[in-house]
Amino acid sequence: MVRNQYGVVVVGGGVAGCFAAATAAAEGIDVVQLERKPREEGGFIACGDAMKSPRNPKNYPGPIDMDAIAGDESVLVDNNIDQIEFWDEELGVRKVLPYETGSNVIDRYEFGQRLLEQAADRGAEQHYDTVVNEVIQTDRVTGVDAIRNGDPVSYECDVLIDAAGAQSILQDMIDFEGLDTSGDPTFEVPHYTHFGSAYREIIETEKPVEYHNAIVGKPLERMGYIWYFPRTPTEINVGLGFQMNTEPIPLADRLRRDIENRPEYQDATVSDRFERKNKLGAAIALRRPLDSMVAPGYLAAGGAAGTTHPITGKGIRGAAYSGYSAGRAAAQAIEDGDVSESGLWEHNRFLYREHGEAAKLASWDAYNVAASSIEVNVLRAVTALLPERELREIVGTSTKVDSLKSKALVGTGVLKNFVSEYRRGSFDALDVGTGELYEAVRSVRTTRTYVSAYENQYEAYPEERSTFEDWLSERDRIDREFYDALDLSPGDYKY
Ligand SMILES: Cc1cc2nc3c(=O)[nH]c(=O)nc-3n(C[C@H](O)[C@H](O)[C@H](O)COP(=O)(O)OP(=O)(O)OC[C@H]3O[C@@H](n4cnc5c(N)ncnc54)[C@H](O)[C@@H]3O)c2cc1C
């Protein structure tokens, strides 16, 4: 078997992998990036392709030149998205929220290709057609075994960066208990119910769609949603996703049923631009970022670390900044000669404390917990009732959840909407009683209080490994108190 020695092995040629590989290589580390797909298929990723503010350096830090990518017309096919629309057609509801300026629906393939090129330009070696099938470990992770173009290859390294996406197979291969950690390992493999399965197609319409400047979301009969994201006024990324906490749903059939009923898609055809890659499905992380994304000799980034939240349009950028963080922390630990949990802790510290977006995502995940605890028909009715300002907070287009004063505003806004929706008879279709509605609105208001409690706790995320257990027990206490406030039974606890 061919053996190779590197400072850093990055598994994954997606966004997280490219940001990690480019960052570590730019720091002068010997990096190899492994990707199971062939070179020309790198960048084919199942995605809604909506990307928030590509030119904001906070979202896309490090040596990858995002200005050059954002300036490339083949990537930013549509620079015209300025609103999010939420539709519930059965209820006659259409809510329009402003979207972050400078947001886009991109050509994901071209974007992926540019990222791979830039990672190579920064000095990362890239091995395509390379499927990782084993992780090698002693008291720390020391490398991976793979099949490259049909031949077995072994890659040894100081640090392995797992950027293999949501439900990373690497995490099933590692015996985390067998690694040398001081106390219990801080890394915990996420449960499958923390993921969603999603599917998308790119279709072409004969006439421009009326919502060409918006990304549109609609609820489904189960916890999940359908989207219409216009890449151009006549080329639409349509897709749907469900949380994996109930029986699986045949995604392509369900999407087709929806498309067939829409007048603007009557003559639509599946675009021939990408041939067979127009129809793609994959897992998505629908959980808070992992409590710790490090183990001895190992770092997780992107979907593999849960720093990506596609529902709020933060899947791509969450992969980017966490990939950067992993590359940076790996390079620093190698330079310091300490790739233990403590030596790699900088990755957790940066994401939760310095960059801070992981803390925000973890806190706002409380809304997902609350939504999962409410019947879907009641949830739809509540969404119809919520003032747009509240919806903006929930979908993450506004900033920090603010004070108790805004809680009072939610109350008056809901009441006002309730009177008008009730008069229109909106809730008859859903068969929802006022008692259920009251309870659900109460849950949303309760959740706001807990989002603030989580924000305070995550702002105090441990700077060092040594105080992690104390911090975690307080965070777990907030979890339990929150579940009690929502009247959840232990079988329904998300974490
Ligand atoms: C249908 C769908 C729609 C989405 N819509 C949006 C959206 O509109 N906006 C948004 O921001 N986010 C969206 N997301 C989420 C976003 O796509 C992800 O958050 C992001 O792609 C995660 O990037 P990543 O680099 O962590 O993982 P990935 O992009 O999944 O990359 C992982 C890479 O690792 C490779 N790999 C995996 N296992 C191995 C192995 N054993 N050996 C070698 N290589 C391996 C894979 O081939 C892949 O290239 C969506 C996701 C899905 C599934």
Side-chain angles (χ1 to χ4, degrees):
M1 185 188 292
V2 181
R3 301 185 83 77
N4 296 291
Q5 178 69 47
Y6 292 89
V8 169
V9 169
V10 177
V11 181
V15 178
C18 289
F19 272 77
T23 305
E27 293 288 328
I29 306 289
D30 255 0
V31 179
V32 68
Q33 186 179 10
L34 312 180
E35 170 55 54
R36 63 184 168 195
K37 288 181 248 178
R39 172 73 181 87
E40 64 282 5
E41 289 193 5
F44 275 135
I45 300 274
C47 193
D49 302 345
M51 186 175 176
K52 272 190 162 181
S53 345
R55 291 185 197 267
N56 181 343
K58 185 176 183 225
N59 299 335
Y60 303 93
I64 294 235
D65 183 352
M66 281 297 288
D67 264 342
I69 294 181
D72 184 330
E73 280 179 11
S74 68
V75 175
L76 290 198
V77 281
D78 185 347
N79 198 7
N80 190 28
I81 302 294
D82 58 11
Q83 58 199 42
I84 302 185
E85 295 196 14
F86 170 80
W87 299 355
D88 194 327
E89 288 153 318
E90 208 182 342
L91 299 187
V93 168
R94 181 174 187 165
K95 301 215 175 206
V96 179
L97 318 176
Y99 201 44
E100 213 164 279
T101 32
S103 299
N104 307 88
V105 178
I106 55 168
D107 186 311
R108 191 74 173 73
Y109 173 70
E110 293 294 339
F111 176 58
Q113 286 280 318
R114 295 297 92 72
L115 288 180
L116 288 164
E117 282 161 22
Q118 287 215 19
D121 288 349
R122 302 298 171 273
E125 202 175 310
Q126 291 170 328
H127 291 185
Y128 293 94
D129 298 294
T130 305
V131 183
V132 171
N133 57 12
E134 197 59 72
V135 174
I136 315 166
Q137 66 180 86
T138 53
D139 56 353
R140 69 168 178 90
V141 170
T142 57
V144 294
D145 287 336
I147 302 291
R148 185 178 182 203
N149 292 316
D151 295 322
V153 194
S154 192
Y155 296 89
E156 287 161 11
C157 59
D158 297 316
V159 179
L160 171 66
I161 298 183
D162 177 0
Q167 289 197 306
S168 162
I169 196 167
L170 272 61
Q171 291 168 11
D172 295 333
M173 296 170 182
I174 300 173
D175 169 17
F176 287 97
E177 299 285 337
L179 301 172
D180 181 17
T181 48
S182 52
D184 290 337
T186 59
F187 190 95
E188 255 188 77
V189 180
H191 194 258
Y192 76 92
T193 53
H194 297 165
F195 296 91
S197 53
Y199 171 79
R200 71 104 164 101
E201 295 182 4
I202 295 172
I203 60 173
E204 275 173 330
T205 58
E206 294 212 326
K207 293 195 198 122
V209 294
E210 175 237 333
Y211 42 88
H212 55 85
N213 63 326
I215 56 173
V216 177
K218 300 195 315 181
L220 282 163
E221 59 280 7
R222 292 223 219 130
M223 188 68 185
Y225 75 120
I226 286 193
W227 68 80
Y228 310 135
F229 291 178
R231 291 159 49 92
T232 72
T234 55
E235 197 173 58
I236 323 296
N237 181 318
V238 293
L240 77 175
F242 287 99
Q243 187 127 14
M244 290 187 198
N245 53 1
T246 51
E247 286 295 298
I249 286 202
L251 296 178
D253 295 349
R254 182 63 187 85
L255 182 64
R256 196 107 327 268
R257 260 191 4 249
D258 182 80
I259 293 173
E260 277 165 10
N261 286 326
R262 292 210 60 81
E264 74 272 31
Y265 296 150
Q266 286 310 306
D267 298 312
T269 47
V270 175
S271 165
D272 57 10
R273 191 195 291 249
F274 305 112
E275 297 167 353
R276 70 194 170 88
K277 297 296 176 191
N278 276 309
K279 299 179 173 185
L280 291 173
I284 39 176
L286 292 175
R287 55 155 296 137
R288 60 189 174 200
L290 301 185
D291 297 338
S292 164
M293 308 170 215
V294 313
Y298 169 90
L299 293 169
T307 54
T308 53
H309 202 252
I311 304 273
T312 57
K314 293 174 181 169
I316 296 171
R317 82 186 203 189
Y321 61 71
S322 65
Y324 159 75
S325 169
R328 175 178 167 273
Q332 185 69 56
I334 291 170
E335 198 184 307
D336 295 346
D338 178 6
V339 298
S340 68
E341 241 183 1
S342 300
L344 293 168
W345 198 257
E346 174 59 14
H347 183 44
N348 290 333
R349 190 205 67 79
F350 176 81
L351 289 172
Y352 278 113
R353 295 286 294 250
E354 190 173 328
H355 186 272
E357 190 73 13
K360 199 163 139 184
L361 288 181
S363 308
W364 290 25
D365 179 70
Y367 283 120
N368 180 287
V369 173
S372 306
S373 73
I374 300 172
E375 293 285 327
V376 168
N377 56 342
V378 181
L379 191 61
R380 285 171 58 190
V382 170
T383 313
L385 288 180
L386 285 175
E388 278 161 13
R389 174 186 170 148
E390 176 73 1
L391 277 179
R392 284 186 67 187
E393 286 191 356
I394 293 172
V395 300
T397 61
S398 85
T399 47
K400 200 170 153 67
V401 167
D402 41 30
S403 64
L404 292 171
K405 198 166 123 211
S406 79
K407 200 170 161 185
L409 281 175
V410 174
T412 17
V414 166
L415 196 61
K416 210 169 107 217
N417 289 352
F418 180 76
V419 173
S420 64
E421 295 294 336
Y422 200 80
R423 281 197 188 126
R424 285 200 312 127
S426 299
F427 307 125
D428 298 348
L430 294 176
D431 193 20
V432 175
T434 43
E436 284 171 292
L437 270 176
Y438 173 79
E439 278 307 312
V441 171
R442 194 185 65 87
S443 291
V444 175
R445 297 186 66 193
T446 303
T447 304
R448 293 174 64 85
T449 315
Y450 281 91
V451 169
S452 296
Y454 281 118
E455 278 178 340
N456 291 337
Q457 180 62 7
Y458 280 99
E459 273 167 19
Y461 187 89
E463 300 263 359
E464 287 171 4
R465 159 71 187 90
S466 53
T467 52
F468 178 72
E469 277 84 3
D470 290 344
W471 175 87
L472 189 66
S473 73
E474 174 57 14
R475 201 286 315 276
D476 289 349
R477 191 196 62 73
I478 300 173
D479 278 353
R480 285 191 304 277
E481 203 183 282
F482 178 43
Y483 298 153
D484 282 349
L486 292 178
D487 285 332
L488 294 184
S489 51
D492 294 327
Y493 293 176
K494 183 168 178 184
Y495 303 106

